[in-house]
Amino acid sequence: QKEVEQDPGPLSVPEGAIVSLNCTYSNSAFQYFMWYRQYSRKGPELLMYTYSSGNKEDGRFTAQVDKSSKYISLFIRDSQPSDSATYLCAMSAAGRRALTFGSGTRLQVQP
Amino acid sequence: DAGITQSPRHKVTETGTPVTLRCHQTENHRYMYWYRQDPGHGLRLIHYSYGVKDTDKGEVSDGYSVSRSKTEDFLLTLESATSSQTSVYFCAISAKEVDTQYFGPGTRLTVL
């Protein structure tokens, strides 16, 4: 079983919708949580970074971490066609030197 | 992709040939990583470096070696390429041990 699970999608929504992207994980030691956005044939770019539990908001993006459920979410408000990309969750723990990634969810926002 | 370049960006090679991919950074970050990305597997760590001449293996290191002789350069070598190594390879850097990583533009490698 993978340490981090992520639904591959594709997830198709109309422009303006609220999008919810999720990852579950099995390692309770994970404390650092990130979301990356990857456009086709490009490298992943960092969107959000959260330490431990709680919410973090940046513009149209909100990241939530629920450590008791081992569940993290990324919400996108007022989604735009330019948000169409693959979204990767990533996480790590103290003492680990590398990130563990989910396999990514492909999002399509229809104009 | 600012501050991180990868070369070549595309390469087609034949089975059994050696291949070296280069990652160059201008951020002076201590930590550098090589990942491969394949459909259904996401990003998987091949090797990483925590300083000049200091490297360690990741989860999919078989068939790969790395070297880091300068802070800014991290080389990934496939000693004898196989078709299973056809993939997109990404380099990443970070300033601290457990920290956000920043990715290069990737190298698309095809082994025939």
Side-chain angles (χ1 to χ4, degrees):
Chain A
Q1 184 184 359
K2 294 180 180 178
E3 277 191 301
V4 180
E5 298 281 357
Q6 188 175 7
D7 188 326
L11 176 63
S12 183
V13 301
E15 183 175 354
I18 296 174
V19 175
S20 172
L21 302 165
N22 311 295
C23 287
T24 59
Y25 62 95
S26 58
N27 189 340
S28 58
F30 284 145
Q31 303 173 273
Y32 305 88
F33 303 94
M34 294 142 217
W35 285 95
Y36 286 83
R37 178 176 62 197
Q38 185 176 23
Y39 291 113
S40 180
R41 295 185 173 262
K42 299 288 186 181
E45 58 178 320
L46 180 68
L47 269 182
M48 301 287 283
Y49 169 58
T50 309
Y51 171 71
S52 194
S53 286
N55 293 2
K56 185 173 183 178
E57 188 173 321
D58 184 0
R60 296 185 296 113
F61 298 91
T62 300
Q64 284 187 354
V65 175
D66 183 348
K67 291 190 71 179
S68 62
S69 301
K70 297 191 182 69
Y71 189 88
I72 69 170
S73 300
L74 177 70
F75 298 95
I76 307 174
R77 290 183 298 281
D78 188 23
S79 57
Q80 302 296 311
S82 58
D83 294 327
S84 298
T86 296
Y87 290 79
L88 301 154
C89 63
M91 46 198 81
S92 190
R96 282 202 178 191
R97 285 181 168 149
L99 299 176
T100 301
F101 283 85
S103 56
T105 299
R106 189 155 63 94
L107 172 67
Q108 297 171 338
V109 181
Q110 307 295 339
Chain B
D1 298 350
I4 310 171
T5 57
Q6 292 185 234
S7 58
R9 294 294 313 280
H10 302 270
K11 186 169 182 67
V12 179
T13 191
E14 294 190 348
T15 298
T17 59
V19 176
T20 295
L21 308 182
R22 179 180 184 242
C23 177
H24 179 78
Q25 60 145 331
T26 58
E27 307 297 322
N28 201 35
H29 283 355
R30 178 180 175 186
Y31 299 90
M32 299 185 74
Y33 310 82
W34 277 108
Y35 291 89
R36 60 178 289 173
Q37 187 174 38
D38 305 288
H41 291 279
L43 286 155
R44 292 182 292 173
L45 183 68
I46 305 171
H47 280 280
Y48 60 92
S49 170
Y50 47 98
V52 172
K53 299 193 189 311
D54 292 323
T55 65
D56 207 348
K57 297 179 180 180
E59 65 176 298
V60 290
S61 60
D62 287 348
Y64 302 94
S65 62
V66 290
S67 65
R68 191 168 177 201
S69 58
K70 296 184 290 185
T71 298
E72 58 266 34
D73 289 326
F74 192 31
L75 304 180
L76 177 71
T77 298
L78 290 65
E79 302 289 347
S80 178
T82 67
S83 58
S84 65
Q85 293 175 313
T86 292
S87 187
V88 182
Y89 292 86
F90 287 102
C91 174
I93 64 174
S94 66
K96 297 184 290 185
E97 184 171 53
V98 182
D99 200 2
T100 55
Q101 294 180 14
Y102 298 93
F103 285 81
T107 294
R108 191 169 294 269
L109 176 67
T110 302
V111 183
L112 301 175

